[in-house]
Amino acid sequence: MPRLTRRHFIAATTATASAAAWTAASPTAWAAAPDRPGPDPYERIARAAAMNWRRLPTGWQDAPFLADGRLGAQLYQGRTANTLKLMLSHTEVQDQRGQWRGGIGFSRLPIGHFTLTLAGDVTAVDWTLDPYDAELRGTVTTTSGSLAFTALVHNDTSTLLVSTRPSPGEEAAAWTFQWLPAATTRTSGKPEDYTPNPDPTVTDSHVQQPLIAGGGWTTAWRERRAGTGRLLAAHVAYRASGDVADTTRAAHDRVDRALTTDPDEQVEHHRRWWHRFYHRSLLSVPDKRLQAFYVLQLYKLAAATRAGGPTISEWGPWFPEIGNNWTAVWWNLNVQIGMAPIHGSNHLELDSVTSTFARYEKNLPTSVPAAYRDGESYALGHPSDWQLRAGDTYDVGAPGSDHVSDNFGNLTWAMHNVWQTYAHTQDTAVLRDTLFPILTNAINFYAHFLHEGPDGKLHLLQTRSPEYANAEDCTYDLSLIRWGARTLLQTARILRTDHPKAPLWRDIATRLTPYAEDPAAGVMIGKDVPLADSHRHHSHLLWLYPLRERSWDRPADRDVMARSMAHWVSMQQLWHGYSYATASSMYSVMDEPEKALDFLTFFTDLGVVADCAMTPNTMYREGRNFALESPLSAAQSMLDMAVQSHEGVLKVFPSVSDRWPDASFAALRTQGAFLVDADREAGRTRSVRVHSEAGAPLTLEHGIRGDISVRDDRGRQLHWRETAPGRITVQLPRGATASITPKNSPVAAPRDVPSLGDRAGWGLP
């Protein structure tokens, strides 16, 4: 058995740290250690995004957060002045009573929290959440002494590890665990006969929580000591069915292994994954608060979800202690926009959307009304659980009926995320195994409700534009149907396959009615239904972004895009966070970089509208409710400023504000399976480097002024052709790289660009 030594615990006065020992050293000290080279730009940028706390956080809205895609933890003040609370939660832990709609029957359930009881009252804190190591480190000062700690949720084992070392006066500081009732916190639609799950079985080392429907979970924990130092390990094991005793054995086994494995070895494995994660891409801008924000959203995404695991619910793996109504997975916008940044940031290892649909396609027919369950129709209700179940007795309804919901477009919109995975990788298995069969049945369901009008066009029965109004020929649904039909035809060509439904798709693509338009206000909600009031949801503009049915590159499209956008943004009274993030992306694809930056920074500077705002730890609140999607979608807004790829054209720095003279990025992923590096200095693009993973045709809008050189990695000239000012085509085989610079200039290396000035960091400085 490995010997637990004092070096595995924190020394309150530690000044340096090795790459192996788990210590409380600052990131700067760690990077400068003798056995560690100086930080490269990837590490430098990630460490610079660290959040700091000089005030005691009070709850999820300002607390540091840790997770590994399943197990989550948040640290904040306890109920008394001498306690801290470490909230424990798990993204898979949910109820299994499908007789009720998903938000109740498959509701996320609270687990509980550890309480650290100190001898004295807390007087000060000095905490740092280092995203590069995915660790929380710091000290707590009390009226009796102090306590240093380091905490992480281990990436490989999904185990919480907290190392503490007290000063004299705080040697008795100890952890206790308090379970929370296994009952939904959702009140909307809660049935009168709802019964909480039974109380758990409690021992001094675990809480075993059974579920009425079978299965359940166990939270197990144990400490090891070295002198006055302690190492706490905790694990949550969950089973959806079967004997809950199995979870108890599994949880204890994981805890035992954590405490009998060399802590340095565990931490090294944990850090290794996260360090590789941050080296997959880089984005640097002169607004260092925004740069840190972007890094923290990548950290949050990797903490919240992984390919093969649950996709993001409204809370990710975290649980607001008092809960709220958003107890499940929301598919009418939230997942789609929250998961958008994984493609451009080159983090497909987080693509839980594609893996979720590949794994749980079998559950999609259950959201279809019984009358339309023909074996060829799919739908997706919300709220659902992470297995795509919205409740055994719930379906999305039928267009044109008395049961019209805002769920009709959920599945097709989610398939756009899956399509983006294909587009950014050129992996035809994504099309063949997931997108093609599911999108086929999603459009089949819609096709039941299309009919030919007197004008010879195909029209849609009444549906609902999410959160706004019912309408025939609803723009939201029409845009998804049109995109779906065209994408199915394109997919069939790529896969070189015939399909009996292909004539239907061609008919839809050809004859689907245009969107209802107002001469002044642009595209409307639907037939005879204008956008008359402020609306947070951009559902009626989905055709503009992200579907990008119209393109600013085509002058004929610009008028309707500009009118529609101007009308939506003229009424911001009821906008929420994602409204501003989406508006920023929309302005980026409309060549309006200054507006794009203004909308982004209003949100990231914690602007408040309709009692909604981002919080100091980059989470997001609507009233007192917790949600993840808005800050995550703002990371996509930054990607849209740096690089865009659409309709076969790759654009570098297409929407960078004049207020940002410098910018740099590396290994951002685009459609066509290209990895792109680029550098901008003093307002001029000085180099672009494009690596082709799939050999797709490359048309590049490089943005370099004057004559250019186009070379391969060995410096040899490549054949290229200019197709428009600043736009070239290059033959780039699979695995090849092209570097584009001003004539005879060197290729710029990825860098952390200079700051425009000091701005407050994130956390509670």
Side-chain angles (χ1 to χ4, degrees):
M1 177 182 298
R3 186 170 62 92
L4 191 65
T5 66
R6 293 179 68 89
R7 78 185 185 92
H8 296 129
F9 292 94
I10 301 167
T13 58
T14 298
T16 60
S18 72
W22 194 22
T23 75
S26 70
T28 301
W30 188 87
D35 61 342
R36 181 75 179 164
D40 60 26
Y42 297 85
E43 178 180 341
R44 174 190 174 95
I45 288 170
R47 289 200 186 278
M51 286 193 280
N52 297 297
W53 280 260
R54 303 297 182 263
R55 291 178 284 138
L56 185 62
T58 60
W60 67 263
Q61 294 190 17
D62 53 13
F65 50 92
L66 300 163
D68 72 326
R70 285 182 168 83
L71 184 68
Q74 299 162 293
L75 183 66
Y76 47 90
Q77 73 177 22
R79 293 186 178 179
T80 60
N82 70 324
T83 59
L84 296 178
K85 184 176 291 184
L86 184 61
M87 189 72 179
L88 204 64
S89 48
H90 199 288
T91 194
E92 291 178 342
V93 169
Q94 65 171 64
D95 220 330
Q96 295 290 343
R97 289 182 274 182
Q99 68 267 32
W100 297 313
R101 192 172 175 182
I104 300 288
F106 296 132
S107 173
R108 286 279 303 280
L109 296 173
I111 293 172
H113 55 78
F114 287 98
T115 297
L116 179 65
T117 302
L118 300 152
D121 292 350
V122 176
T123 59
V125 298
D126 186 355
W127 301 350
T128 296
L129 177 59
D130 180 355
Y132 191 67
D133 290 341
E135 295 174 23
L136 175 65
R137 301 184 279 258
T139 59
V140 182
T141 303
T142 75
T143 55
S144 298
S146 64
L147 180 137
F149 72 91
T150 299
L152 59 82
V153 174
H154 198 275
N155 188 76
D156 299 347
T157 65
S158 201
T159 302
L160 172 71
L161 295 173
V162 185
S163 172
T164 57
R165 183 160 183 87
S167 74
E170 283 293 353
E171 296 94 337
W175 295 103
T176 56
F177 185 77
Q178 174 60 56
W179 58 272
L180 293 174
T184 186
T185 61
R186 184 172 175 83
T187 57
S188 298
K190 189 173 181 179
E192 292 183 0
D193 61 343
Y194 179 84
T195 302
N197 286 285
D199 288 349
T201 300
V202 181
T203 74
D204 59 2
S205 63
H206 73 253
V207 171
Q208 184 188 87
Q209 176 64 64
L211 296 175
I212 290 173
W217 71 90
T218 294
T219 306
W221 66 90
R222 190 159 62 85
E223 286 186 318
R224 293 193 70 184
R225 301 189 182 192
T228 58
R230 300 174 183 234
L231 179 61
L232 171 72
H235 183 79
V236 176
Y238 172 80
R239 299 287 186 274
S241 60
D243 187 351
V244 70
D246 292 341
T247 68
T248 303
R249 287 187 288 271
H252 276 294
D253 178 66
R254 193 60 63 89
V255 167
D256 290 344
R257 277 189 283 168
L259 293 179
T260 56
T261 302
D262 185 343
D264 287 346
E265 180 182 330
Q266 293 184 74
V267 173
E268 179 64 22
H269 279 281
H270 170 82
R271 288 179 177 175
R272 190 178 300 142
W273 188 94
W274 282 96
H275 295 176
R276 286 197 302 264
F277 174 81
Y278 288 110
H279 279 78
R280 290 187 65 83
S281 65
L282 173 152
L283 175 61
S284 178
V285 299
D287 183 333
K288 296 305 176 185
R289 181 171 165 86
L290 264 182
Q291 178 175 295
F293 166 80
Y294 173 80
V295 171
L296 290 169
Q297 301 325 294
L298 296 186
Y299 165 75
K300 189 185 299 174
L301 269 169
T305 193
R306 307 287 172 84
T311 196
I312 56 171
S313 67
E314 282 298 270
W315 304 334
W318 303 287
F319 199 104
E321 186 174 348
I322 61 172
N324 60 37
N325 267 340
W326 298 336
T327 52
V329 181
W330 257 248
W331 286 102
N332 68 333
L333 167 145
N334 309 72
V335 176
Q336 289 91 329
I337 66 172
M339 291 295 293
I342 66 168
H343 301 106
S345 64
N346 194 26
H347 285 297
L348 294 167
E349 74 274 27
L350 307 183
D351 186 11
S352 55
V353 171
T354 299
S355 61
T356 290
F357 282 101
R359 186 175 181 184
Y360 297 112
E361 177 186 352
K362 62 185 179 183
N363 292 327
L364 294 173
T366 62
S367 286
V368 176
Y372 300 96
R373 291 180 189 170
D374 52 11
E376 297 183 338
S377 296
Y378 287 168
L380 176 58
H382 82 271
S384 80
D385 73 347
W386 48 271
Q387 297 181 45
L388 306 177
R389 300 177 298 174
D392 300 341
T393 60
Y394 176 78
D395 61 65
V396 300
S401 71
D402 293 335
H403 183 186
V404 171
S405 73
D406 63 355
N407 282 231
F408 299 128
N410 295 346
L411 180 55
T412 306
W413 191 355
M415 286 301 100
H416 181 260
N417 289 62
V418 177
W419 168 260
Q420 291 283 24
T421 295
Y422 163 73
H424 285 74
T425 64
Q426 302 294 289
D427 181 358
T428 55
V430 172
L431 298 183
R432 181 185 64 249
D433 300 337
T434 306
L435 182 126
F436 199 44
I438 295 178
L439 185 57
T440 293
N441 287 354
I443 297 303
N444 284 351
F445 178 65
Y446 265 129
H448 290 296
F449 311 104
L450 293 174
H451 62 96
E452 185 177 50
D455 58 359
K457 299 291 186 181
L458 294 177
H459 295 265
L460 180 65
L461 298 176
Q462 185 182 85
T463 59
R464 181 167 180 79
S465 191
E467 302 183 358
Y468 193 80
N470 294 353
E472 296 179 15
D473 290 337
C474 178
T475 297
Y476 168 73
D477 295 287
L478 289 180
S479 65
L480 289 166
I481 294 169
R482 182 174 283 112
W483 173 83
R486 291 175 175 176
T487 299
L488 286 169
L489 291 169
Q490 183 179 357
T491 299
R493 289 193 295 271
I494 294 168
L495 296 177
R496 299 180 181 179
T497 185
D498 293 325
H499 194 282
K501 294 287 186 180
L504 170 65
W505 305 333
R506 281 192 289 271
D507 193 37
I508 291 172
T510 302
R511 293 201 297 139
L512 193 65
T513 189
Y515 311 124
E517 268 192 54
D518 179 272
V523 171
M524 299 164 60
I525 294 293
K527 179 183 177 183
D528 301 325
V529 181
L531 178 67
D533 304 294
S534 182
H535 184 31
R536 66 176 183 168
H537 208 299
H538 58 286
S539 50
H540 74 295
L541 295 178
L542 220 59
W543 55 271
L544 194 160
Y545 184 92
L547 301 182
R548 301 194 66 179
E549 180 184 325
R550 302 291 181 95
S551 172
W552 198 256
D553 287 349
R554 293 190 289 269
D557 289 347
R558 293 183 179 181
D559 177 65
V560 67
M561 294 173 73
R563 282 186 291 117
S564 303
M565 187 65 176
H567 183 62
W568 182 52
V569 303
S570 70
M571 300 177 287
Q572 298 176 31
Q573 303 92 320
L574 298 180
W575 275 23
H576 288 186
Y578 58 76
S579 313
Y580 288 92
T582 300
S584 175
S585 288
M586 288 178 171
Y587 276 124
S588 281
V589 303
M590 293 170 62
D591 288 352
E592 293 270 16
E594 304 309 322
K595 289 182 179 179
L597 184 57
D598 286 343
F599 277 94
L600 175 65
T601 53
F602 175 84
F603 176 52
T604 57
D605 285 348
L606 312 189
V608 181
V609 175
D611 197 21
C612 301
M614 195 159 66
T615 59
N617 59 356
T618 81
M619 293 297 188
Y620 173 67
R621 68 169 184 85
E622 293 187 357
R624 297 177 63 189
N625 292 330
F626 176 24
L628 286 183
E629 78 290 316
S630 290
L632 297 178
S633 68
Q636 180 61 40
S637 303
M638 294 183 67
L639 289 168
D640 286 328
M641 295 173 177
V643 64
Q644 295 175 22
S645 51
H646 180 61
E647 294 184 340
V649 178
L650 193 164
K651 298 182 179 181
V652 174
F653 298 128
S655 189
V656 174
S657 166
D658 290 340
R659 288 168 275 176
W660 287 359
D662 289 34
S664 186
F665 64 81
L668 296 187
R669 181 175 288 274
T670 71
Q671 294 184 15
F674 297 111
L675 295 177
V676 188
D677 304 353
D679 193 85
R680 167 186 168 96
E681 185 176 47
R684 299 173 70 99
T685 301
R686 62 175 184 159
S687 75
V688 178
R689 186 173 180 273
V690 182
H691 175 76
S692 174
E693 287 189 343
L698 173 62
T699 298
L700 174 68
E701 199 164 286
H702 52 75
I704 296 174
R705 303 174 194 174
D707 294 338
I708 62 172
S709 294
V710 182
R711 293 164 287 187
D712 66 13
D713 268 355
R714 297 183 181 180
R716 299 173 298 191
Q717 295 294 322
L718 291 173
H719 177 73
W720 58 277
R721 181 169 61 90
E722 186 171 57
T723 56
R727 182 178 288 187
I728 64 173
T729 61
V730 184
Q731 293 298 318
L732 204 58
R734 181 193 303 268
T737 301
S739 296
I740 301 90
T741 64
K743 191 73 173 180
N744 298 323
S745 296
V747 177
R751 63 187 175 118
D752 185 9
V753 303
S755 172
L756 286 177
D758 293 334
R759 297 191 67 191
W762 298 98
L764 291 176

